[in-house]
Amino acid sequence: MQVDFHKMHGAGNDFVVLDARKRALPLAPARIAALADRRRGIGFDQLVLLQTDEPDATGAADVRVRFFNPDGSEAGACGNASRCVGRLLSAELHRPAIRLRTAAGLLEAVADTDGTVTVDMGAPRFGWDTVPLAREGDTLRVVLDGLPPELPPGAALSMGNPHCSFFLPTAAAVDPVLVGPVVERHPMFPERVNAGFAVVEAPDRLRLRVWERGAGLTLACGSGACAAAVNAHRLGLCGRAVTVELDGGVLGIEWRASDDHVLMSGPAVLSFSGRVELEEFAA
Ligand SMILES: N[C@H](CCC[C@H](N)C(=O)O)C(=O)O
């Protein structure tokens, strides 16, 4: 089955976008993993699947969007990809505002003429059982046994996907490549977790690296930037509006006081488009 795709990225977090609105696409986890291969496949941090919105859905969405990690696991949210879909559909529908139905809820993306896209990522969830954690506890102080002593307690929340943010004195204090996989699969997180390693550089500026669940270290993580910004404010380390500097670029995050929603702004780039024969990849 020949399928067109768009290769996109948001601050270097890269995606393959497939359109299943007109026909279902056979995408078993093994095929997603094969397509994700950076040498034998197309390569991506996430595969983004566009589908028509459920007919009985409450509140009209322009598109239903699903996100899959290179290991084939599905994620409820992906901030950088949501901006990319916003840009794609804004060009298709010739209007700036696009409504995305995701597992995390109905999101609105607004594409600016300068290439920036802002997504309302909805409200963060702080309950231990919504992150989720394996047992009841304070999500603002998550202590993980078996981790190096230089790793402070984490702050956990859900943006529709699970995050745990660690605030470090310097970027060198912890190596995300060494510690990230241990946090991702720690028994405290029954659905695994995205691990963010942040340094507060100013009350309005964070430096962040994220070891993503199911994907590893990426150049940027949009929902991770939202999580770090919200957790920094919860801990009294930052204001409600911050810039988050990641390896691949800078995102603007505002945790809006009026409705508790998190607004995330940043780039959304179409690198190239192509066509792929799905049958060439593991069934
Ligand atoms: N790996 C994440 C999904 C992608 C998140 C990230 N790429 C973003 O921009 O939010 C998870 O399994 O929850």
Side-chain angles (χ1 to χ4, degrees):
M1 177 190 279
Q2 291 263 333
V3 180
D4 294 336
F5 67 85
H6 294 301
K7 183 72 171 53
M8 304 188 77
H9 74 89
N13 187 202
D14 69 322
F15 312 106
V16 162
V17 183
L18 297 179
D19 192 342
R21 288 177 287 180
K22 294 189 173 61
R23 59 174 174 165
L25 298 177
L27 289 169
R31 177 164 287 163
I32 292 172
L35 288 166
D37 188 299
R38 297 271 182 199
R39 287 186 170 75
R40 299 181 185 86
I42 307 171
F44 51 74
D45 289 336
Q46 276 82 41
L47 184 143
V48 182
L49 190 63
L50 307 183
Q51 296 179 314
T52 50
D53 194 13
E54 300 101 347
D56 57 349
T58 50
D62 295 303
V63 65
R64 182 183 180 208
V65 190
R66 298 172 68 188
F67 312 106
F68 298 89
N69 292 309
D71 68 357
S73 61
E74 184 166 2
C78 183
N80 288 320
S82 298
R83 291 201 315 279
C84 289
V85 173
R87 173 162 180 194
L88 213 53
L89 263 78
S90 173
E92 180 183 301
L93 300 176
H94 306 293
R95 54 177 152 91
I98 301 295
R99 292 170 70 80
L100 287 64
R101 165 99 47 220
T102 71
L106 204 53
L107 310 181
E108 183 175 73
V110 179
D112 199 327
T113 50
D114 67 357
T116 302
V117 181
T118 297
V119 178
D120 178 341
M121 293 289 286
R125 295 79 137 176
F126 302 124
W128 69 273
D129 50 351
T130 56
V131 173
L133 301 185
R135 59 177 180 273
E136 186 164 0
D138 179 1
T139 55
L140 204 44
R141 181 176 166 73
V142 179
V143 179
L144 302 178
D145 53 10
L147 271 295
E150 57 270 18
L151 189 77
L157 60 76
S158 173
M159 287 302 302
N161 58 342
H163 288 273
C164 193
S165 312
F166 301 91
F167 294 92
L168 309 171
T170 66
V174 167
D175 182 350
V177 175
L178 294 179
V179 175
V182 183
V183 173
E184 175 193 358
R185 295 178 177 280
H186 193 281
M188 178 63 81
F189 304 107
E191 294 179 10
R192 297 188 289 167
V193 77
N194 298 283
F197 302 92
V199 177
V200 179
E201 295 186 335
D204 63 353
R205 194 171 74 250
L206 292 175
R207 178 76 175 87
L208 176 68
R209 302 185 81 197
V210 181
W211 177 272
E212 286 198 27
R213 176 181 63 169
L217 189 69
T218 57
L219 291 178
C221 178
S223 56
C226 295
V230 168
N231 282 325
H233 188 69
R234 289 169 80 196
L235 290 165
L237 302 173
C238 275
R240 279 186 168 267
V242 295
T243 55
V244 180
E245 185 189 328
L246 300 118
D247 290 348
V250 180
L251 300 180
I253 310 291
E254 179 195 354
W255 184 20
R256 192 164 57 191
S258 59
D259 60 0
D260 217 23
H261 283 206
V262 184
L263 303 181
M264 170 200 58
S265 298
V269 176
L270 174 61
S271 304
F272 59 88
S273 299
R275 176 166 292 181
V276 64
E277 174 51 72
L278 287 186
E279 267 64 47
E280 293 293 323
F281 296 85

